[in-house]
Amino acid sequence: MAGVRVLPCTLAIFGALGDLALRKLFPALYQLDREGLLHEDTRIMALARDQGDGVKQLEHIEERLRHYVPKADWDEAVWTRMRGRLGYRAIDFRNREDYTGLAEDVGETSPLIAYFATPALVYSAICENLAAVGLCERTRVVMEKPIGYDLESSKVVNDAVARFFPEDRVYRIDHYLGKETVQNLIALRFANSLFETQWNQNYISHVEITVAEKVGIEGRWGYFDQAGQLRDMVQNHLLQLLCLTAMDPPADLSADSIRDEKVKVLKALEPITADQLASRVVLGQYTAGYSDGKPVPGYLEEPNSNTESRTETFVAIRADIRNWRWSGVPFYLRTGKRMPQKLSQIVIHFKEPPHYIFAPEQRSLISNRLIIRIQPDEGISLQVMSKDQGLRKGMQLRSGPLQLNFSETFKHLRTPDAYERLLLEVMQGNQSLFVRKDEIEAAWKWCDQLMDGWSKMGDSPKSYAAGSWGPLTSIALIARDGRSWYGDV
């Protein structure tokens, strides 16, 4: 992060005792402080409704911080410095009087960053009360997903915030956009003519985007059953990855130039009509199975579950983009819980050479693939064909990778967590890694038509055993086009 200009600010975390803040935000701020990327005058204010002893709340934050920060990264001097920045204030997010003390704490010098690590239903109240005590003019607002339940509810949330904060001071987080490999996708495409000149329907046959989760619901049954995998993962993470893969070159690296191109992709997504749903969309729900060799319950057997639930825990979609660059190139999207492994990757399948000169039995090997691994083991691998070694091999071909593994190549450097990058960008006032209002709405519009179609069909999700790659119908979805999911075993 060389060349970063560090500016002072006050960061107020609303919901500071929640899981997100304790597990992600405070560890990210610790690492930024450890790297010298927090200005000496930057302050952190932990805000929560708990009226208990503030000293005990700060001790709880410290205890959780020591748990989540790797032992090798823990430095008492860094914690001492961070502890000096940190304060706790009990606040009822709906009570205007509680904000008077907050305004006094913030003062009138440095800008305020208000991080909403709370349910979206209190965003409006927080904004109204910040405005009432004069804390709007120099405040940037950070909003966590989910932003709404569908297009209409997302508009309600965004409009409530927009009453007090203009778009250039609203930062909507999708943490995937902070991952190193996702950012590298822009560099890979637009800094290398080797790829960008071939990044279209003339040379690419199809694209896969997989975000697989090994875990189940992890105690979030109540929330997840209202959302489902389509709302929880497709509407944000998968569509953001699709946009960065498919967008045209932006005019420059400014926030609006990048986001303009992403919106064009979302608007070009072909709607999936009712008669196409059965062949182009698969919804699944996991049943009992095995994970790491141990038995795990099915979705309907999880604690506090509704045994009649038809909520999907798996989604596979064939998406098509109606523009010149991607005409005839399907994008296969897949995401699910209780999969065999935790895996996020983009696989670009290039077309075969038009004239084949090698042994016919080797033709099935001819397939160049660019594999962009987002997690785990972030890196990029290009599958290429070469001659097998040996005097007896003749012109026998073999497929092998040319790869860049970030953990190996940059073994002496720690790969920063996505929230470290995103918090730093907010402090610098850079919106390029954040989602604009019209992006949110375009993504919801496309997903809404899928959900409405399935609701009218009345079909139940297809069953798949925990620890598998999803329902058999998801294999059929891609096999129907003469293809298979890359790497499934």
Side-chain angles (χ1 to χ4, degrees):
M1 298 184 184
V4 172
R5 185 184 176 205
V6 183
L7 299 173
C9 67
T10 297
L11 176 62
I13 301 176
F14 290 80
L17 299 181
D19 181 67
L20 171 67
L22 296 174
R23 184 165 50 90
K24 288 293 185 181
L25 302 185
F26 286 115
L29 289 166
Y30 171 89
Q31 295 289 5
L32 290 175
D33 208 343
R34 181 169 169 258
E35 294 286 340
L37 291 170
L38 295 184
H39 192 280
E40 61 182 9
D41 294 328
T42 289
R43 292 182 297 155
I44 304 167
M45 303 187 66
L47 308 175
R49 290 176 294 182
D50 196 311
Q51 298 290 332
D53 185 348
V55 174
K56 290 183 178 180
Q57 305 299 355
L58 292 176
E59 288 175 350
H60 177 62
I61 292 172
E62 178 186 355
E63 186 269 328
R64 291 287 81 197
L65 192 61
R66 288 179 182 271
H67 174 76
Y68 288 117
V69 172
K71 290 183 179 180
D73 293 346
W74 188 262
D75 186 325
E76 288 294 337
V78 175
W79 166 242
T80 299
R81 185 168 64 240
M82 181 174 171
R83 177 64 183 83
R85 307 176 182 278
L86 186 59
Y88 177 81
R89 173 173 284 278
I91 183 171
D92 180 344
F93 302 143
R94 299 181 185 277
N95 184 355
R96 183 165 299 180
E97 294 179 2
D98 285 358
Y99 287 74
T100 302
L102 174 63
E104 293 172 355
D105 288 344
V106 172
E108 300 180 357
T109 54
S110 63
L112 174 66
I113 296 171
Y115 197 116
F116 297 168
T118 67
L121 56 88
V122 296
Y123 287 1
S124 178
I126 295 174
C127 291
E128 288 181 10
N129 290 325
L130 287 173
V133 295
L135 284 178
C136 275
E137 291 303 317
R138 50 194 175 86
T139 297
R140 300 169 194 155
V141 170
V142 185
M143 299 165 62
E144 274 283 346
K145 80 171 187 76
I147 299 175
Y149 182 77
D150 53 17
L151 176 59
E152 289 308 312
S153 60
S154 74
K155 287 182 176 179
V156 170
V157 174
N158 280 315
D159 289 349
V161 174
R163 288 173 54 205
F164 304 97
F165 297 96
E167 184 65 24
D168 63 2
R169 287 194 278 124
V170 177
Y171 294 72
R172 299 174 189 84
I173 275 190
D174 183 328
H175 74 267
Y176 264 55
L177 299 183
K179 292 181 179 291
E180 287 289 307
T181 312
V182 174
Q183 296 170 65
N184 245 312
L185 183 56
I186 292 178
L188 180 77
R189 286 192 56 191
F190 302 126
N192 296 284
S193 60
L194 168 68
F195 293 118
E196 183 52 26
T197 56
Q198 313 253 318
W199 211 265
N200 57 58
Q201 45 87 16
N202 292 321
Y203 301 100
I204 292 175
S205 67
H206 63 290
V207 177
E208 294 178 51
I209 301 177
T210 293
V211 177
E213 300 176 275
K214 197 172 183 178
V215 298
I217 304 305
E218 295 187 298
R220 298 191 310 149
W221 210 95
Y223 158 74
F224 185 84
D225 200 56
Q226 294 297 314
Q229 199 74 351
L230 233 172
R231 291 183 175 92
D232 194 45
M233 295 295 290
V234 175
Q235 185 272 333
N236 42 77
H237 297 333
L238 270 80
L239 288 186
Q240 283 296 315
L241 294 179
L242 181 145
C243 287
L244 290 170
T245 303
M247 72 182 192
D248 283 339
D252 51 45
L253 290 177
S254 66
D256 277 336
S257 290
I258 291 173
R259 297 190 294 185
D260 284 346
E261 297 304 329
K262 289 198 291 178
V263 170
K264 289 178 186 177
V265 173
L266 291 169
K267 290 183 175 180
L269 275 173
E270 183 177 293
I272 298 177
T273 60
D275 61 327
Q276 295 173 320
L277 279 173
S279 62
R280 292 178 59 176
V281 181
V282 174
L283 302 186
Q285 187 184 88
Y286 67 83
T287 58
Y290 291 85
S291 180
D292 289 333
K294 298 177 181 178
V296 293
Y299 180 71
L300 301 182
E301 299 160 353
E302 297 277 9
N304 303 314
S305 64
N306 167 16
T307 57
E308 302 298 320
S309 173
R310 294 168 54 188
T311 297
E312 77 286 351
T313 63
F314 173 95
V315 181
I317 302 172
R318 173 185 161 148
D320 291 84
I321 300 172
R322 297 183 296 191
N323 62 20
W324 175 90
R325 183 182 288 268
W326 298 113
S327 176
V329 179
F331 284 71
Y332 300 99
L333 315 179
R334 177 176 61 162
T335 179
K337 296 188 180 299
R338 286 292 187 212
M339 308 292 274
Q341 58 180 295
K342 180 178 181 179
L343 173 69
S344 296
Q345 68 181 16
I346 302 166
V347 184
I348 311 295
H349 295 261
F350 292 93
K351 291 182 176 179
E352 296 181 4
H355 178 51
Y356 183 74
I357 62 175
F358 300 94
E361 62 269 18
Q362 299 183 88
R363 181 146 199 166
S364 61
L365 296 174
I366 305 295
S367 181
N368 295 136
R369 301 182 187 94
L370 180 65
I371 302 156
I372 302 161
R373 179 73 72 91
I374 299 164
Q375 64 180 9
D377 304 324
E378 295 184 60
I380 299 166
S381 174
L382 177 63
Q383 294 288 131
V384 298
M385 304 303 301
S386 61
K387 177 190 173 299
D388 207 353
Q389 297 296 309
L391 296 173
R392 299 178 185 274
K393 299 295 181 66
M395 194 54 81
Q396 184 171 322
L397 300 176
R398 64 186 297 272
S399 176
L402 300 175
Q403 60 187 25
L404 170 62
N405 185 302
F406 293 162
S407 62
E408 289 295 321
T409 304
F410 306 108
K411 62 178 66 175
H412 300 300
L413 297 175
R414 186 184 63 86
T415 300
D417 180 79
Y419 277 94
E420 296 172 40
R421 168 67 67 181
L422 294 171
L423 283 169
L424 183 62
E425 296 295 318
V426 176
M427 293 177 192
Q428 293 180 287
N430 181 8
Q431 290 184 304
S432 61
L433 299 182
F434 298 85
V435 186
R436 204 166 59 190
K437 180 175 181 285
D438 54 348
E439 283 184 74
I440 293 281
E441 294 181 354
W444 272 125
K445 183 178 180 181
W446 191 75
C447 286
D448 277 0
Q449 49 99 21
L450 295 180
M451 294 184 287
D452 290 345
W454 270 103
S455 177
K456 291 173 182 176
M457 283 181 65
D459 282 2
S460 296
K462 307 299 181 184
S463 297
Y464 67 98
S468 71
W469 281 107
L472 292 176
T473 45
S474 68
I475 300 174
L477 179 144
I478 192 169
R480 197 174 288 118
D481 298 331
R483 300 174 175 124
S484 60
W485 295 102
Y486 174 76
D488 285 11
V489 292

